[in-house]
Amino acid sequence: MGPTGSRHGGTGQADSGDSHLLREAAGAGPQCPGPARLARLPLARVKALVKADPDVTLASQEAVFVLARATELFVETIAKDAYVYAQQGKRKTLQRKDLDNAIEAIDEFAFLEGTLD
């Protein structure tokens, strides 16, 4: 943080990286060609994984985008929760034991118990 308590150098304004993301999320401006811009995972690979399921015959672009975004949020959430355990061990790198600890301690991850074995 800057001396004024802002993470953006003390100007009180978001940097250009943040402002273009806000415009894209709002759907404003020519920078927003579609939902692919807001996803970090490659949508073609997500679609290929979806189509690998024999029960799936069609997957709309919107459905693939929602799956990609949900996956990104899930990975971000579990990584942040596991990072707390890494910090307790005075480490900055996540290890499998940190994921195990997060899965064991947080009720929302109960469905993952035993999956890393």
Side-chain angles (χ1 to χ4, degrees):
M1 285 200 191
T4 61
S6 171
R7 295 185 331 169
H8 303 289
T11 63
Q13 297 178 346
D15 65 16
S16 62
D18 290 339
S19 61
H20 89 276
L21 287 175
L22 293 174
R23 282 193 305 275
E24 287 178 9
Q31 301 167 338
C32 187
R37 188 96 190 201
L38 297 175
R40 292 183 214 136
L41 291 175
L43 297 182
R45 293 214 180 177
V46 173
K47 187 167 189 160
L49 286 170
V50 169
K51 285 189 159 192
D53 184 342
D55 294 332
V56 176
T57 55
L58 292 174
S60 71
Q61 183 178 358
E62 292 83 8
V64 171
F65 171 76
V66 169
L67 282 169
R69 193 68 185 113
T71 302
E72 292 168 8
L73 292 172
F74 172 76
V75 170
E76 181 180 336
T77 300
I78 196 167
K80 284 181 179 179
D81 290 336
Y83 187 66
V84 171
Y85 292 98
Q87 286 179 318
Q88 288 175 358
K90 300 190 184 342
R91 291 177 283 107
K92 292 184 179 180
T93 304
L94 289 182
Q95 296 177 357
R96 180 187 163 144
K97 63 183 175 183
D98 302 319
L99 288 168
D100 288 336
N101 288 335
I103 290 169
E104 187 177 317
I106 299 170
D107 291 338
E108 287 83 6
F109 300 137
F111 72 98
L112 293 172
E113 288 180 7
T115 58
L116 295 179
D117 295 335

